[in-house]
Amino acid sequence: MLPPRIADVVVALLAIASLVAGAAVIGDARAMYERFLYISELGAQHMHSAAQFQVGFGLIVVGVLLTAVAVRDVRTELPILRLWVPAASLVVAGALFGVADAVPCSPGCPSLLGPEAELRDWVHIIAAVLAFVAGCLAMLQFATASDRWVARLSIVGGLAVGIIAATGGIISLARGNTDIGSTLEFVAAGIGVAWMIAMVVVHTLPVLRADASRSSVHGRAGGAVPAAAAALHLARDAARD
């Protein structure tokens, strides 16, 4: 088994790799089309990008869960939200996104307000919306964390994702400009992924620095002990002479 410190670094690296790979796969799926599409539409039934999108989104889900493991010791200072760890909110968000990935929407991803909506559309959209809520809750918890850099990143990331995603959602519900709405959705998702990567990095770097500092101290101490012992032996020999 790996030592705890090394295991934490390995989990952090796997989380970053999974998030980057997932974003790249989804970006490549998006590049298949010249028209603007919402994220869910890339994985809709009968779309050429459906299989690739599910792989990419699955990698994102794995990245979210690994991020939760990497930052599991972070705590919030909010009176109510400190009843559970912020990482738990990320786990819930990842699990719900996994449901949305496993149950893609029907062709065209119809609105739930229209007659074309099927049961799978209800499952997909409700899971995605609840996952987004859980993710926003996690951002709020991390924004009030005792870890200073995690808190700062979460404040900036949370505000950006909230404003951009809300704007895109309003445009979508109002059946407004799809180009703008879908673009804002992708931007918000990209910021969310970048936030998790940055959070893992700033939370893991102190661990690496602490290990390096500890190794340096032990190395100096290890070198000082033999030197002291040699000096003591020389002193004893001189006393005997």
Side-chain angles (χ1 to χ4, degrees):
M1 293 181 64
L2 293 174
R5 295 283 187 176
I6 297 178
D8 287 340
V9 174
V10 170
V11 169
L13 292 175
L14 289 175
I16 294 172
S18 185
L19 290 169
V20 171
V25 171
I26 292 176
D28 184 64
R30 171 65 185 83
M32 292 182 182
Y33 306 95
E34 294 182 359
R35 61 190 179 93
F36 290 88
L37 295 170
Y38 284 96
I39 293 176
S40 291
E41 290 183 271
L42 294 175
Q45 286 182 308
H46 312 312
M47 292 288 286
H48 294 301
S49 57
Q52 181 173 335
F53 174 81
Q54 284 191 306
V55 172
F57 206 74
L59 288 169
I60 294 293
V61 170
V62 172
V64 172
L65 297 177
L66 288 174
T67 298
V69 175
V71 297
R72 64 191 180 280
D73 56 333
V74 176
R75 298 293 184 272
T76 180
E77 297 178 351
L78 289 179
I80 297 177
L81 296 183
R82 67 185 177 191
L83 294 176
W84 67 93
V85 295
S89 297
L90 273 184
V91 170
V92 172
L96 288 169
F97 276 130
V99 173
D101 184 41
V103 186
C105 57
S106 57
C109 288
S111 170
L112 298 184
L113 302 178
E116 304 88 359
E118 301 178 8
L119 176 60
R120 65 186 310 107
D121 296 311
W122 283 87
V123 174
H124 176 83
I125 294 176
I126 290 175
V129 170
L130 292 178
F132 178 76
V133 172
C136 289
L137 184 62
M139 279 188 157
L140 177 60
Q141 288 179 293
F142 284 116
T144 57
S146 54
D147 190 318
R148 181 179 60 182
W149 281 106
V150 167
R152 289 177 177 177
L153 284 170
S154 299
I155 291 172
V156 175
L159 287 174
V161 169
I163 294 172
I164 294 173
T167 303
I170 292 172
I171 293 174
S172 175
L173 290 175
R175 296 292 186 175
N177 190 308
T178 302
D179 297 358
I180 297 176
S182 61
T183 300
L184 290 177
E185 185 185 40
F186 271 96
V187 171
I191 293 174
V193 171
W195 165 69
M196 284 187 287
I197 292 174
M199 192 169 58
V200 169
V201 170
V202 300
H203 187 65
T204 305
L205 278 178
V207 173
L208 296 175
R209 290 171 182 165
D211 285 346
S213 177
R214 192 178 297 108
S215 298
S216 177
V217 170
H218 287 170
R220 288 196 298 269
V225 170
L232 181 59
H233 283 302
L234 288 175
R236 287 176 179 174
D237 291 342
R240 288 172 184 171
D241 293 340

